[in-house]
Amino acid sequence: MITLRVLVDQMIAPVPGGIGRYTEELTRQLIATAPADCFVEGIVSSSSSDQYEYVERTLPGLSGLYKTTLARRELAAAWQLGMTTSPGPGLIHATGLLAPLRRHDLADGTQLAVTVHDVLAWTHPEALTPTTVAWTKAMLKRARKHADAVVVPSHAVADQLSEIADFGDRVRVIGGAVASGLRLPTDYLVSGTLSSGVAATEALGLPAEYILAAGTLEPRKAITALITALGLPGAPDLPLIVLGPDSWGELDIASVADEAGLAPGRVRAMTGLSDEELAVVISRASVFVFPSLEEGFSTPIIQAFHFGTPVVHSDAPANVEAAGDAGFVVERQDAAGYPERLAAAVSRVLGDAELARRLSIAGSDRARAFSWRDSAERVWQLHADL
């Protein structure tokens, strides 16, 4: 009998974020695809009984839940210093860098695999807190010494990581997929006709036509460039919905839109959506724009593809890798001219029905290349290879 112990602690973090969802989806499929006589156990920091119950309820089929003696903050600090507390020998798969990295022997059946989702701590440290940057760099150093495998979500991250630390042949590219709950309500017709789903759609206050984007006002996400683009002469005169918070630091969307010369209310942020609400918002958009200058894995693009929404995206390596040939690519270079190029690309897609149709079909086909089941099977194969 073999047990794969998965760090599922991010699921109960104060802000689970994308890694929390990644952890949930991957672990669920690790359970579903477990080979004969193999089981999946969760590892969590010392937490409340309600949090333990949430993990067990969300991940039915876990063979057990190992609870460390330290709470999350203290556990992260202890593991950073090499003061490990873990279930002992065996297979451990961390869905981030939070892992009991220590000297061990593969011969006794112990394996340690960690996941590096991006290298922002090196390329865009301003996007993180100083504490997070320091912790991430320290844990990567420990991973270089003690990890048997390092999972990254894209070849783009693999290339970046190779410039930071030499992991040799220990790096494996295993991407993510669309969340299993991201689907339209059963009473919503994809054709755009609403039955009893009209109530939910009206509650969201969606306009008849709109441009959709995802991100924050953090410079790396380039949402400001997109808003600026919509204020240029000849730009599409459609409202913009941004999936994300309406402010970042001292910046807020209303002020950025005003400076771009856009009418009040033309740009709107949306947060806290349920999976079904998010599905409706994405599926009804005329075009999805992802101008981000750097990503680790471009999940928003895959989500838009999933619903056949035409996609315009930057030429950031991870974006191009995720989209294949299914998106309309905009060059990032020459930052001063980026808004003009974004405006031209969006205008092109919105003004050419045949192009939009081709992008929609290509995107739907491309989305099928990403599967959590496939990701889980590749994780099992990784540990079998070790």
Side-chain angles (χ1 to χ4, degrees):
M1 185 179 75
I2 296 175
T3 297
L4 177 64
R5 298 180 173 96
V6 182
L7 264 296
V8 296
D9 197 66
Q10 188 64 30
M11 290 175 58
I12 54 175
V15 182
I19 298 179
R21 175 53 69 91
Y22 170 93
T23 300
E24 175 187 333
E25 297 288 350
L26 179 63
T27 308
R28 184 179 291 120
Q29 285 303 312
L30 286 171
I31 295 169
T33 60
D37 296 323
C38 291
F39 302 89
V40 179
E41 181 178 282
I43 301 176
V44 292
S45 60
S46 179
S47 307
S48 69
S49 57
D50 287 344
Q51 290 172 312
Y52 296 147
E53 192 276 331
Y54 168 76
V55 172
E56 293 170 334
R57 183 179 70 251
T58 306
L59 300 174
L62 278 180
S63 65
L65 194 60
Y66 177 84
K67 302 144 187 171
T68 70
T69 57
L70 298 176
R72 179 180 177 83
R73 182 176 177 181
E74 290 74 21
L75 184 67
W79 282 354
Q80 178 183 345
L81 297 173
M83 301 165 57
T84 60
T85 171
S86 70
L91 280 59
I92 295 179
H93 189 90
T95 57
L97 278 170
L98 181 66
L101 292 161
R102 64 190 188 279
R103 188 186 302 276
H104 61 281
D105 188 351
L106 279 171
D108 69 7
T110 297
Q111 298 176 5
L112 292 172
V114 299
T115 306
V116 176
H117 293 274
D118 56 57
V119 294
L120 295 180
W122 291 265
T123 61
H124 293 78
E126 71 281 357
L128 308 170
T129 66
T131 299
T132 298
V133 170
W135 183 86
T136 300
K137 290 184 175 181
M139 291 303 291
L140 191 72
K141 287 181 180 179
R142 293 197 62 79
R144 183 171 58 83
K145 292 180 180 179
H146 303 299
D148 299 302
V150 178
V151 174
V152 295
S154 63
H155 291 282
V157 174
D159 291 341
Q160 291 177 311
L161 189 60
S162 68
E163 298 177 0
I164 297 169
D166 182 10
F167 285 95
D169 61 359
R170 289 181 287 168
V171 177
R172 301 289 185 93
V173 178
I174 302 176
V178 173
S180 57
L182 192 65
R183 52 180 178 267
L184 291 166
T186 54
D187 56 359
Y188 183 89
L189 302 180
V190 182
S191 64
T193 303
L194 302 177
S195 55
S196 57
V198 69
T201 304
E202 288 182 347
L204 292 171
L206 298 177
E209 295 181 277
Y210 56 90
I211 298 165
L212 184 65
T216 71
L217 292 176
E218 173 197 340
R220 174 179 63 92
K221 292 293 188 177
I223 294 297
T224 297
L226 176 59
I227 294 174
T228 300
L230 296 181
L232 296 174
D237 188 24
L238 286 181
L240 170 65
I241 293 177
V242 179
L243 298 172
D246 62 4
S247 64
W248 184 80
E250 297 181 355
L251 287 176
D252 64 79
I253 281 181
S255 298
V256 174
D258 180 64
E259 290 179 6
L262 301 181
R266 183 172 164 191
V267 182
R268 169 188 172 193
M270 298 186 77
T271 58
L273 298 175
S274 68
D275 282 350
E276 287 192 344
E277 289 171 335
L278 178 59
V280 171
V281 173
I282 295 173
S283 67
R284 288 199 53 180
S286 301
V287 61
F288 176 75
V289 186
F290 199 56
S292 180
L293 305 178
E294 182 179 328
E295 293 292 320
F297 182 76
S298 306
T299 302
I301 290 178
I302 307 304
Q303 291 175 334
F305 283 168
H306 181 67
F307 293 103
T309 302
V311 173
V312 171
H313 62 84
S314 79
D315 64 350
N319 290 350
V320 174
E321 184 177 337
D325 297 323
F328 194 101
V329 185
V330 182
E331 293 184 2
R332 298 164 296 162
Q333 301 305 316
D334 176 22
Y338 192 36
E340 286 80 0
R341 292 193 297 278
L342 284 171
V346 175
S347 294
R348 173 80 187 281
V349 174
L350 291 176
D352 187 336
E354 178 58 25
L355 172 60
R357 187 186 72 82
R358 290 201 306 270
L359 290 173
S360 175
I361 294 172
S364 295
D365 289 342
R366 179 63 177 167
R368 298 187 184 97
F370 300 90
S371 158
W372 283 114
R373 185 178 185 86
D374 176 65
S375 298
E377 289 175 343
R378 292 168 69 185
V379 168
W380 278 114
Q381 186 60 55
L382 163 62
H383 287 278
D385 292 344
L386 293 176

